[in-house]
Amino acid sequence: MADINGREQQQSFEIISIPPQTIPSDPTKFDLPVDSEHRAKTLKIFSFAQPHMRSFHLAWLSFFTCLISTFAAAPLVPVIRDNLNLTRSDVGNAGVASVSGSIFSRLVMGVICDLVGPRYGCAFVNLLAAPVVFSVAFVSSAEGYIAVRFMIGVSLATFVSCQYWTSIMFTSSIIGTVNAVAAGWGDMGGGVTQLLMPFLYHVIKVSGATPFTAWRIAFMIPGWLHLIVGVMVLTLGQDLPDGNLGALQKRGDVAKDKFSKVISDLVFKYAVRNYRTWVFFLVYGFSMGVQLCINNVISEYFYDRFGLTLHTAGIVAATFGMANFAARPLGGYASDMAARKFGMRGRLWVLWTVQTLGGVFCIWLGRANSLPIAILSMILFSIGAQSACGATYGIIPFVSRRSLGIISGLTGAGGNFGGGLTQLVFFSNTGFSAATGLTYMGIMTVACTIPVAFIHFPQWGSMFFPASKNGKYSEESYYSSEWNEHEKEKGLHHGSLKFAENSRSERGKRREIAAAGTPPPGFSATPVHV
Amino acid sequence: MAVQDFLLASLVLSCLAASSYGTSFSSLPATLIVSASTKQGQVLKAGEDKITVTWSLNTSLPAGTDSAYKTVKLKLCYAPVSQKDRGWRKTEDDLEKDKTCQHKIVAQPYSPSNNSFTWTVQKDVPTATYFIRAYVHNSADEEIAYGQTTDVHKTTNLFKIKAISGRHVSRYCLCLLLCFLYCVFVWILLLGEEEI
């Protein structure tokens, strides 16, 4: 019986793997309290225990490393542009290339996570990124520079594996906070790199290298980080609370989707045809996208506009990215807090508010003529945009259960698409200055956040409308509608039903539960056995 | 009389200029004659080739023109063709904001004639087209005059410098070694795994 799905496995997915640590499926043996799916109900930051906390730390660390190398060139652009004789458009195009690579790779990673688990996806992206980063030392022209930044940017696909991994390790009521902390700490890499790379460059220059050699050697460090992290994920990580995906699929504990079915059903039916996916594709482009764009341009902006040194411009730029440490978790936390009282509607309002505020502060940054005002508005802008990212991923886990990976991937891809688009339209143009570009980008952000008002969940409502009144719509009906009758007969939708039960917390405190023999209301998501 | 008027005017101008942002380039008189050993269109290699610059006061100017001159600073400046599409090398009249001349050659005390300096092009000079300009500073270190190897429109006597690539042989070896180590690493990793 356990082999019904096992027999269908494609030979191409028989990947050899490291024997997992023996994890008991008895809930009392986990280090943290767990729900009915064995997902943890709390986040214990300073713990590295298997499986939840260790996966959490590996997830955010692997994403952090990819951000460091993707934006490693940005603070060194004043040196690189002289070494490679770049023009303004070359610099802009390289920035666009660095975020465009992962539009496609994030989609692919979503599919990979659904099929073989986040661990393999994450580890292999890191191991493949390492030689690409090492090859930066050989770049000699604008074309080479653009190409290598594109290839390194592909590694940003680890965002999807990071979010996917935390989403299956932690329960719904804290998912906003957990996703936001993991992604926020990962995004911090974009800020840390603005400090790290000038520092490495300086140290290498002082030890005798010329500037045009020093920046190339500095890139060795991110390359090694990729190798180390990739190995750690493979050896120390675990896909699911109960074990690795391959092992669980063989035992029949986890339904295994056939590859072709994944593409047709998950991608086209449940992801692409769900309009919410596309709203988030757009909206995330103006929270994360804007951030990616800023990571590429802000150091050079402060260097050129306010005459700061490379070092100082890097420090200022770093504060933007480093704000992620607290700002993104703040967004996730605010989302979770709003959900306790107001359910999903609260989450949607939080998202709209912080993202719009981010846009407003971006306009202010573009208009700031003095350094202190520019820094102040930049910090406020960073808090707005980054908490919007956290708030977005507080909602994404609820859009679909079956194709969480693909929707996560599509949203992430939207972030990169927005990043490339904003960089191309506002910062590669010699027609207007970077300051004007910032102002226009802020205006566009405010405009493109309005679609959040159109997100409606029948069981929970939207910003302006409550849940659909007829009791037809419950969490169970929404999530089990992703499986057809044939699959339901086989019992493949049980995972979704468990999730639906745990997601009742999205009703908020004041909603009455339909009298359909369902568990007690409340926000603690205590596991109830059906 | 004309000299005194001229001096008074330049003094007032420089005071005004100093009290605003930086000195305005268009207010500076071109009193030095500067010439370099480079020929029109010559290509020099950074880190290897040398340039010899000579400069002196224009002898047709009235005596006393250089009474406030203290130091001369020579700089390597970008020609317009190398400034195109590169806003970080833009020419601004306000000398505090001007980014035309970003590479210092030498600073020497002023003397009206017999000035010469031989400079080895430094390794951090990027590939571009250049000319050389000498700024004269007074005792308050403000620019009060200049001279340059090219004409007013910056079209004559330009020369090119070819930068080092930065990709030295020793660095190649280092990278190759790292790539090799990486391959060994991954090979050992895959070798050590077992099927479940």
Side-chain angles (χ1 to χ4, degrees), chain A residues 134-141 216, chain B residues 167 171-173 175-176 179:
Chain A
F134 289 137
S135 75
V136 167
F138 298 98
V139 163
S140 63
S141 66
R216 296 166 187 275
Chain B
R167 308 178 302 154
R171 319 305 171 198
Y172 273 107
C173 293
C175 295
L176 279 171
C179 288

Side-chain angles (χ1 to χ4, degrees), chain A residues 237-401:
Chain A
Q238 187 176 303
D239 293 306
L240 291 152
D242 293 326
N244 279 319
L245 191 64
L248 293 176
Q249 282 170 342
K250 275 207 171 120
R251 285 198 332 235
D253 289 350
V254 172
K256 189 178 169 125
D257 273 307
K258 243 177 94 162
F259 184 64
S260 52
K261 220 166 190 310
V262 165
I263 298 301
S264 61
D265 283 358
L266 298 193
V267 174
F268 291 107
K269 268 201 189 151
Y270 309 117
V272 168
R273 271 160 53 164
N274 188 337
Y275 76 95
R276 299 172 195 86
T277 308
W278 298 106
V279 175
F280 281 115
F281 184 91
L282 174 72
V283 167
Y284 199 60
F286 286 91
S287 54
M288 176 46 95
V290 152
Q291 265 191 77
L292 294 176
C293 179
I294 293 282
N295 276 341
N296 266 326
V297 306
I298 199 74
S299 182
E300 213 191 341
Y301 177 73
F302 278 99
Y303 181 89
D304 288 333
R305 179 136 194 246
F306 296 102
L308 304 179
T309 62
L310 204 71
H311 201 75
T312 316
I315 293 175
V316 172
T319 50
F320 179 86
M322 303 275 277
N324 263 301
F325 178 79
R328 188 163 177 151
L330 182 71
Y333 184 70
S335 183
D336 285 341
M337 285 300 109
R340 281 202 193 172
K341 254 201 128 173
F342 302 108
M344 179 55 71
R345 297 182 71 187
R347 290 191 191 270
L348 291 165
W349 271 103
V350 163
L351 171 59
W352 181 84
T353 309
V354 291
Q355 189 158 325
T356 304
L357 276 176
V360 166
F361 289 124
C362 184
I363 297 172
W364 194 21
L365 172 63
R367 313 222 17 198
N369 282 318
S370 75
L371 186 62
I373 304 278
I375 294 179
L376 174 68
S377 54
M378 184 195 73
I379 291 174
L380 291 171
F381 165 41
S382 70
I383 294 174
Q386 289 160 10
S387 40
C389 292
T392 306
Y393 271 83
I395 302 174
I396 296 289
F398 298 102
V399 173
S400 160
R401 178 67 190 95

